[in-house]
Amino acid sequence: EHVSRGTPRRAHRCPSIMPTSPRVGARLVCALACVLACEQVAARHATGGACQPASALGAYQPPSVRAAGCTRASRLRGQSTVLRVRGGSRLDELREKAKASFLSITPIVRGWVTATIVLTLLFAVGVVTPEQLQFDWSATTAGLQLWRPFTAALFVGPLNPQILMRCYYWIIYGQELERALGTPSFARAMLTLIALLCYAAKWLSWPFVADALIMSLTMISTRMNPDARVSLFGIPLKNKYLPFVMIVSNYISQQKPPVQDAAGCVVGFLWSVLVKLREREFVAAPAGAPAGGGGG
């Protein structure tokens, strides 16, 4: 601790941590690069070679960060594999089959069934009320609410299993009739049946005519092939007896007189009779045409 009074005090110098030679610095940089490359190779081997560097320049990331990213990617690939094993591809296949089956339905029947389901769901959630959908003669003619005949023929009631049965009748018998008549003729037949049923609803005070329309289509379809064999609830019977069996079945299930079903059968029967009479007139017209022309 002895210091001379006349001697100036020297500044303390810390030893430098920087390399004193350029060659030593270059060697340290090369060594650091080799260490980083070895870490990347080791991490790639540890994850099965699935991970890639963050960029083309190989931006440095700590091994823990790279391992976490690789683990997350492996987990996602594992989840997709599990979905495939559990039937993910099977669900896609079923969805495609359902879409193809829906698009294979004839246009008018497909649109009608879709509109029926949409109206039922809108009524179930409270968007529409029966008063807005039911048939009203004065509102249709004086108020020009021209949608009421169609909504009265579309709406089948609240959401219940009976809707599936009605849609089934539409798809089976309505589609058969549309294919037999053709889409334009089937559209004209639909308009005629709805007009006749709504006119009957005016006098019988029916708010809806959907059940009667289904029975009309069923009657027309069965009269086109009266001797064909069908099965209803496992009971084999001929086509010409099917409408009457349906009337009895609806009476048993609903416990009320099937007035609409009977009226629908009558309207369908009259329509088919009128169509056959018109076809006979068209067939007989060419034979009588020359005689009429010669007399003039």
Side-chain angles (χ1 to χ4, degrees), residues 46-162:
T47 57
C51 295
Q52 300 295 333
S55 64
L57 297 177
Y60 173 72
Q61 292 180 347
S64 59
V65 176
R66 290 198 301 272
C70 295
T71 304
R72 189 180 302 107
S74 302
R75 189 181 300 113
L76 292 175
R77 287 193 300 273
Q79 290 177 357
S80 62
T81 304
V82 170
L83 287 177
R84 288 195 298 270
V85 171
R86 290 182 178 179
S89 58
R90 180 66 61 85
L91 292 177
D92 294 338
E93 182 180 355
L94 293 176
R95 184 168 61 250
E96 292 297 328
K97 287 184 178 180
K99 180 179 178 181
S101 300
F102 178 74
L103 294 178
S104 65
I105 302 174
T106 51
I108 294 180
V109 173
R110 181 173 66 240
W112 197 271
V113 171
T114 303
T116 298
I117 296 174
V118 169
L119 275 182
T120 303
L121 294 177
L122 291 178
F123 171 72
V125 299
V127 176
V128 295
T129 61
E131 290 75 14
Q132 296 172 333
L133 305 176
Q134 68 184 10
F135 177 72
D136 188 336
W137 180 267
S138 60
T140 304
T141 56
L144 296 180
Q145 298 179 6
L146 302 180
W147 70 85
R148 288 188 176 273
F150 298 99
T151 55
L154 281 168
F155 186 64
V156 294
L159 189 62
N160 54 41
Q162 293 293 330

Side-chain angles (χ1 to χ4, degrees), residues 17-243:
I17 60 173
M18 296 299 296
T20 57
S21 174
R23 293 182 178 180
V24 176
R27 290 175 183 176
L28 289 177
V29 172
C30 292
L32 181 59
C34 291
V35 170
L36 295 178
C38 291
E39 288 182 356
Q40 290 181 355
V41 172
R44 191 172 300 138
H45 281 291
T47 57
C51 295
Q52 300 295 333
S55 64
L57 297 177
Y60 173 72
Q61 292 180 347
S64 59
V65 176
R66 290 198 301 272
C70 295
T71 304
R72 189 180 302 107
S74 302
R75 189 181 300 113
L76 292 175
R77 287 193 300 273
Q79 290 177 357
S80 62
T81 304
V82 170
L83 287 177
R84 288 195 298 270
V85 171
R86 290 182 178 179
S89 58
R90 180 66 61 85
L91 292 177
D92 294 338
E93 182 180 355
L94 293 176
R95 184 168 61 250
E96 292 297 328
K97 287 184 178 180
K99 180 179 178 181
S101 300
F102 178 74
L103 294 178
S104 65
I105 302 174
T106 51
I108 294 180
V109 173
R110 181 173 66 240
W112 197 271
V113 171
T114 303
T116 298
I117 296 174
V118 169
L119 275 182
T120 303
L121 294 177
L122 291 178
F123 171 72
V125 299
V127 176
V128 295
T129 61
E131 290 75 14
Q132 296 172 333
L133 305 176
Q134 68 184 10
F135 177 72
D136 188 336
W137 180 267
S138 60
T140 304
T141 56
L144 296 180
Q145 298 179 6
L146 302 180
W147 70 85
R148 288 188 176 273
F150 298 99
T151 55
L154 281 168
F155 186 64
V156 294
L159 189 62
N160 54 41
Q162 293 293 330
I163 294 176
L164 299 178
M165 185 61 66
R166 291 176 173 88
C167 292
Y168 171 79
Y169 290 148
W170 261 104
I171 293 174
I172 297 299
Y173 302 108
Q175 188 172 212
E176 180 181 355
L177 189 59
E178 184 175 356
R179 286 173 176 168
L181 298 178
T183 299
S185 298
F186 182 72
R188 290 193 295 270
M190 287 280 295
L191 293 175
T192 303
L193 294 174
I194 292 174
L196 292 174
L197 291 173
C198 287
Y199 186 75
K202 171 188 176 183
W203 301 103
L204 298 175
S205 301
W206 293 343
F208 301 101
V209 296
D211 291 338
L213 179 60
I214 292 174
M215 291 303 301
S216 298
L217 295 175
T218 305
M219 173 62 76
I220 296 171
S221 177
T222 54
R223 282 182 59 82
M224 295 178 64
N225 297 302
D227 295 327
R229 306 289 295 186
V230 295
S231 177
L232 182 66
F233 305 115
I235 302 175
L237 68 158
K238 289 186 177 181
N239 243 352
K240 57 185 178 182
Y241 302 127
L242 179 62

